[in-house]
Amino acid sequence: MNTPAPPRRGIRGGRSSAARVLARGGRRTAVVAVLVGAVVVAGAAGPWLAPHSPTEVAAAPYAAPDAAHPLGTDHLGRDVLSRLLHGGPPVLLTTTLATAVTVVLGTTAGLLAAFVAHRRPRAEGVVMRPLDALAALPPMLALLLVLTSVPSRLGVVVAACVAGVPLSARVVRAAALPVLHRPHVELAVARGERWPWVLRYEVLPLVATTVLADAGLRFIFSLYLVGAAGFLGVGMTGTDWGTLLHEALPGAALQPYALLAPLVLIAVLAVGVNLLSDTLTRPRAEE
């Protein structure tokens, strides 16, 4: 008599767990998701929603908020809301691109380091020592050095990778190394599977939660570098949120909304993504 196979817990189980956690998060999670979604939608569609051109002189300098200018005007009389909306796409695009590249490179390097540490422990330094050297470089110094040579969006992405990949690699290596000692990995190797296949299909799914949590941190870190680049005057455009902070700082006493608006958007996006990432990665830790 054949014994029925035990039910498999795969992707569907993970999705139902994530759904349960979102449900447990309740109102707080829903509010955070709505706020982050609103910032992303407003940032992505900003140029089409803006009532004025970002360079148009719409009123007197430092005008107070009114119906025509909900956030007032800046030191040149340009509409703050319009400049804020026009600055959304470059900030979101650069931050997302930097996060994606950093996570992919960091995960690949971390899996490779774990594999080398498992198979040839003495050779692990070949992978990790160059990354440790990059990790010793302060992020702001890396940003300035890269932007000196590549003053563009690509330069910000490269700086985020230089500063973030070593940290991601360390996190993924620490999570993947114990997995490599599990019986199912040894079984896959014994039946002749190649190591790239083993890392992709046997190890990566079990560290996916760690990768997701790290991706949330990398997003916040990339957003910080993008904002810092604009604040230092080396932003991608003249309207990205870091540049708006730099321009509004001297007149903050006369027009505080010009300073608070980009600051609030950056804070909501960073804190919201962090909370959502924490919510989505909670099932594996709790169950």
Side-chain angles (χ1 to χ4, degrees):
M1 183 174 180
N2 295 330
T3 302
R8 298 178 59 187
R9 297 186 62 183
I11 297 177
R12 292 186 59 185
R15 288 179 178 173
S16 62
S17 297
R20 288 196 300 270
V21 171
L22 286 174
R24 284 199 300 268
R27 186 173 301 175
R28 187 191 70 172
T29 301
V31 171
V32 171
V34 169
L35 289 176
V36 172
V39 172
V40 171
V41 170
W48 293 274
L49 299 175
H52 301 279
S53 167
T55 58
E56 174 188 355
V57 178
Y62 295 127
D66 55 24
H69 311 288
L71 295 177
T73 60
D74 65 3
H75 63 293
L76 296 179
R78 299 169 296 188
D79 184 58
V80 172
L81 177 61
S82 298
R83 291 178 60 78
L84 192 69
L85 292 173
H86 276 276
V91 170
L92 294 178
L93 178 61
T94 307
T95 301
T96 303
L97 181 61
T99 302
V101 175
T102 301
V103 170
V104 170
L105 294 180
T107 301
T108 303
L111 291 175
L112 178 61
F115 164 72
V116 173
H118 177 65
R119 302 289 292 182
R120 299 286 188 274
R122 294 184 179 180
E124 183 189 5
V126 176
V127 179
M128 294 306 300
R129 294 297 84 79
L131 295 177
D132 291 341
L134 289 177
L137 188 65
M140 290 304 302
L141 180 58
L143 178 67
L144 293 176
L145 290 176
V146 173
L147 289 179
T148 301
S149 304
V150 189
S152 64
R153 179 176 297 145
L154 177 62
V156 179
V157 173
V158 172
C161 292
V162 169
V165 167
L167 304 178
S168 291
R170 276 286 178 187
V171 170
V172 175
R173 175 200 172 276
L177 191 57
V179 176
L180 288 169
H181 294 280
R182 294 188 178 182
H184 73 278
V185 175
E186 299 295 342
L187 180 61
V189 174
R191 68 172 181 258
E193 302 292 353
R194 299 177 64 86
W195 274 105
W197 187 96
V198 173
L199 293 175
R200 168 64 181 84
Y201 294 102
E202 298 288 350
V203 178
L204 183 58
L206 296 181
V207 299
T209 301
T210 301
V211 173
L212 180 60
D214 183 69
L217 295 178
R218 293 310 119 214
F219 183 89
I220 298 171
F221 183 74
S222 299
L223 181 63
Y224 154 72
L225 287 182
V226 171
F231 188 82
L232 293 174
V234 288
M236 291 73 63
T237 67
T239 58
D240 64 79
W241 296 340
T243 302
L244 296 183
L245 286 172
H246 174 76
E247 292 178 348
L249 194 58
L254 298 174
Q255 187 14 327
Y257 300 101
L259 178 67
L260 292 176
L263 190 62
V264 168
L265 288 182
I266 293 174
V268 168
L269 194 57
V271 175
V273 169
N274 187 30
L275 291 176
L276 290 178
S277 175
D278 177 69
T279 300
L280 292 174
T281 56
R282 205 177 301 164
R284 292 282 181 88
E286 292 182 351
E287 299 180 0

